[in-house]
Amino acid sequence: MTVKLENGNILLAGICPADDAEPLLRLVLNNRRAIVDWRACDEAHTAVIQILLAAKPELLGPPANPFLNRRIAPLIGDRRSGAHSSD
Amino acid sequence: MNEFLAQFLVESRELVEHATDDLLALEQVPDDRARLDSAFRGFHTLKGAAGIVEFTAMGRAVHAAEDLLEAVRSGEQPVTADLVSNCLACLDQVVRWLDAIDAEGALPIDAEAAAARLVARLASPAGPSLADARAASAAEDPDPPWAGRLRADTAGVVGARIAIRYTPSADCFFRGEDPLGLMSRLPGLLALEIRPLQPWPPLEELDPFAANLVIDALSSASSKEVADHLRPVSDQVRIYALRQDDDPVFPDRAAKVLKAQLALLSAPRGQEMAGRWASAGRVAANVLRHLGMEAEAAVIDAALARSLAAGDPAALLAALEATVNAAPAAAPREGGDDPGRIPSSPQDAIARALRVDIDRIDAIVNLTGELTVVKNALGHAAERARQGTDPEGLAQVLKQQHALLDRLTAELQRSVLAIRVLPLGHLFRRFSRPVRELARTLGKTLRLVIEGETTEADKAVVEALFEPLMHVLRNAVGHGVETAEQRRASGKPETAVIQLRGRRQGEHVVVEVADDGRGIDVVDVRRAAAARHLATTEALAALSDDAVVDLIFAPGFSTVGAVTDVSGRGVGMDAVRSAIERLGGRVAVKSRAGEGTTVRFVLPFTVMMTRVMTVEAAGQVFGVPFDAIVETLQLARDGIVAIGAAEAFVLRGRTVPLISLARALDADTTIATPSVANIVVIETGGQLAALEVDRFGERLDVMLKPMDGLLGGTTLVAGTTLLGDGRVLIVLDPLELLQ
């Protein structure tokens, strides 16, 4: 499973396919304050990213994937990663 | 400057002026077909004019605005405030170019980038149908507006060639598509922006299986590479090739220069650093100015000053870094976008060329003809005088010719003065733009109604009126007029009306600024006047409301607590009053609480300028009319002889009576007389006389105001005038002085 709840944090790990979107949305809905830890996320499908864009959860990064770090993180508001760190 | 260019300048300025009028009128009445056509023709003619002098960049920019207006004419586009602003921005740029041509005498060489920016801005605002139509029309196809935005929003993006808008269909996830995955591998990806297609619903209602995204991107790859990459989703993607000549943030070279300054500042510190920061700061500021980023340049200048004062480049470095990195927010603005600042109107510069009605010139030509006739008649009379046969008849002829000459010279004088007469519309027109921009900035809805623009006044009056009127109008917009909500609450129409009226009243020109705003609060004025010790509380209580309102003209008065950018720059209504009085006019204010305020200027039709020389006597400054002065000289005391109670001296064989000005004015004369006397020789009524003064002053052109009221009976004085510093200068009447 590439999406799971661990110690109150939502973890995104490895390659997250489109099918992860629905469980991710459920986790976010049930744990409104949960931090999404995507440090181990190698790849995320658009459907997954769309959930993050809509929910704008607090992120724990930077994600392993440079595209996510550089292009997506700033749009969600992750201050610990994003355009200024190298990719 | 060649003749074509000079003509181009004059014509273009006029076209800009008219087009501005048309656009502003169009904004008020969007379906005014005549105005629309006139504005369109204006841009069209400007384009033609640009073509004649081969100013292609301007031609392109104006053409883009013309296209926009054409779209309005064909009903494809509505008239919006933005559309008007964009067209006005185009005119502003044209004026900047004209000013540059005026200054340099040649076409500006760096006009391309500004033109490209304008073309991008004027491209139909996101109107898809029109954008598509343009995309089809190939060559002149402008960049999609969002591409410019995306570029401006993404710092340091240089070399974008392709803009992509990818709108994944809602069911794309079911087809196994991964739009962002595809975009992440896009060749030459420079910038990416992702927005929801529809606003995000509450999370509970979010459908995780439906795509709701719009993806905009810029790429440096070729359009073929991009198209190949996006082929699988080509039905959901639109690809635009961007123009290459414009980078909206920094042109390459400018960015390089700025970065070099950054590198210089970041280098390890040494002895000579202060000098290097200074030059780095100046270079950066100059580059920004060159790009038209005046505000940013000012920031750099200020930071440089701080750095030099502190002996530490940190402030400058931080400011420069912020400018280079945060450039998008600071992208060059077209005039009018900068809130809080009142853009200078295109005609702010005093018109150097005066366009004169041909009838007036014809009248002068006719007068010259008549003068020639008189001249010939006088020649004939001279011949008769030589013969000396008929002195009676000769006298008759001379008398007739003199009367004729008298009439003609008076008429000539009038005609020549009439050339200097301008319609007030000339002046009034310049306020439309600033008032509109200011109202927009402050979020107020108002209409500026101009009346009596054909009323004429002397050029000097018209020109000197700009500043004071601008000040009063700023006050009216800033303080007089309420916001739409406040107006609704007090039962007034939401749109405030400010009237700017001009009319002729006998020998006077009356100009009024009337608003239907909240009026001046008499209680506030009383309180402020007391707080500023302009009068005692008792005195204030005794004043009528009208007299209290008049206190706003008192020096040092302002009811606005905080200094705003709008008005209250430290010069208040007292500056307005003194400016008007310098012109020999009066200013008064009438206000009714809740109903509005009217400020009325009453000005002389012509400004009679008198040239005076100032002299000092008994510690006071006086003016002596220049016409009366023959010469000034310094004379040793022993050259002056006493004749009875008076004094005199000999000038080129003539005895000239000498009057000590200090003594004539009954001033204290116990001060020791210097060994060399400063003497002003005057001639009045055919008599020579001399005034001894303590010191010679300067030459001034002043507007002489006759003494009236209590001082009306004062002799010796021709009138008074206000000096630039607000002091009163008494101008002496030489004729009376000698009696």
Side-chain angles (χ1 to χ4, degrees), chain A residues 21-22 25 28-29 32 45-47 49-51 53-55 67 71-72 75, chain B residues 173 177-180 184 189-190 192 194 200 203-204 206 209-213:
Chain A
E22 201 267 338
L25 176 61
V28 172
L29 275 173
R32 289 287 177 125
H45 189 272
T46 308
I49 295 172
Q50 178 171 280
I51 302 295
L53 288 170
F67 174 78
R71 306 287 181 195
I72 306 298
L75 298 174
Chain B
F173 297 158
E177 290 170 11
D178 181 4
L180 287 170
S184 72
L189 178 66
L190 291 171
L192 188 73
I194 308 168
W200 294 119
L203 274 188
E204 296 80 29
L206 184 68
F209 305 109
N212 177 35
L213 298 170

Side-chain angles (χ1 to χ4, degrees), chain B residues 150-235:
Chain B
L150 185 52
R151 276 205 275 193
D153 286 343
T154 321
V157 171
V158 175
R161 295 167 68 190
I162 307 289
I164 301 131
R165 171 159 284 187
Y166 180 4
T167 315
S169 57
D171 59 354
C172 73
F173 297 158
F174 290 109
R175 294 198 300 257
E177 290 170 11
D178 181 4
L180 287 170
L182 190 63
M183 293 303 275
S184 72
R185 294 183 296 277
L186 185 80
L189 178 66
L190 291 171
L192 188 73
E193 191 181 81
I194 308 168
R195 288 179 294 114
L197 182 62
Q198 304 296 331
W200 294 119
L203 274 188
E204 296 80 29
E205 293 162 30
L206 184 68
D207 179 356
F209 305 109
N212 177 35
L213 298 170
V214 180
I215 305 164
D216 291 341
L218 294 179
S219 162
S220 60
S222 73
S223 79
K224 184 177 180 312
E225 280 175 278
V226 170
D228 284 352
H229 182 79
L230 296 174
R231 183 138 329 214
V233 293
S234 59
D235 56 326

Side-chain angles (χ1 to χ4, degrees), chain B residues 639-674:
Chain B
I640 299 172
V641 291
I643 302 172
E647 288 176 320
F649 65 95
V650 176
L651 177 67
R652 286 189 286 276
R654 278 181 76 174
T655 304
V656 181
L658 178 68
I659 301 159
S660 160
L661 189 54
R663 217 172 303 151
L665 295 165
D666 298 327
D668 182 15
T669 51
T670 50
I671 310 152
T673 42

Side-chain angles (χ1 to χ4, degrees), chain A residues 2-85:
Chain A
T2 42
V3 181
K4 59 186 166 191
L5 192 67
E6 206 174 273
N7 299 330
N9 285 0
I10 299 168
L11 230 60
L12 291 179
I15 297 172
C16 302
D19 292 343
D20 278 356
E22 201 267 338
L24 173 63
L25 176 61
R26 229 173 334 103
L27 282 177
V28 172
L29 275 173
N30 296 330
N31 305 273
R32 289 287 177 125
R33 312 241 150 186
I35 291 172
V36 174
D37 179 349
W38 66 342
R39 286 177 296 182
C41 183
D42 295 319
E43 230 168 81
H45 189 272
T46 308
V48 174
I49 295 172
Q50 178 171 280
I51 302 295
L52 295 177
L53 288 170
K56 288 211 191 311
E58 192 173 334
L59 290 173
L60 182 59
N65 180 315
F67 174 78
L68 292 179
N69 183 38
R70 170 124 188 242
R71 306 287 181 195
I72 306 298
L75 298 174
I76 303 172
D78 179 5
R79 284 184 196 85
R80 277 152 299 186
S81 54
H84 290 297
S85 56

Side-chain angles (χ1 to χ4, degrees), chain B residues 20-21 24-29 35 345 424-425 427-440 444-453 466 469-470 472-478 481 494-502 511-516 597:
Chain B
T20 305
D21 280 356
L24 292 174
L26 197 57
E27 191 179 24
Q28 295 294 336
V29 188
R35 284 291 195 174
S345 126
L424 284 174
L427 169 74
F428 287 178
R429 210 174 290 139
R430 293 164 59 186
F431 295 115
S432 310
R433 279 294 301 280
V435 167
R436 171 185 184 271
E437 306 295 347
L438 185 59
R440 273 176 69 121
K444 294 188 178 173
T445 329
L446 63 84
R447 211 148 47 89
L448 180 68
V449 178
I450 291 176
E451 276 172 28
E453 58 262 66
F466 180 75
L469 264 182
M470 190 68 240
V472 171
L473 280 167
R474 260 190 227 128
N475 275 341
V477 180
V481 163
E494 283 185 25
T495 304
V497 176
I498 296 180
Q499 296 187 55
L500 181 56
R501 298 186 287 246
V511 177
E512 283 178 337
V513 176
D515 69 57
D516 63 350
T597 306

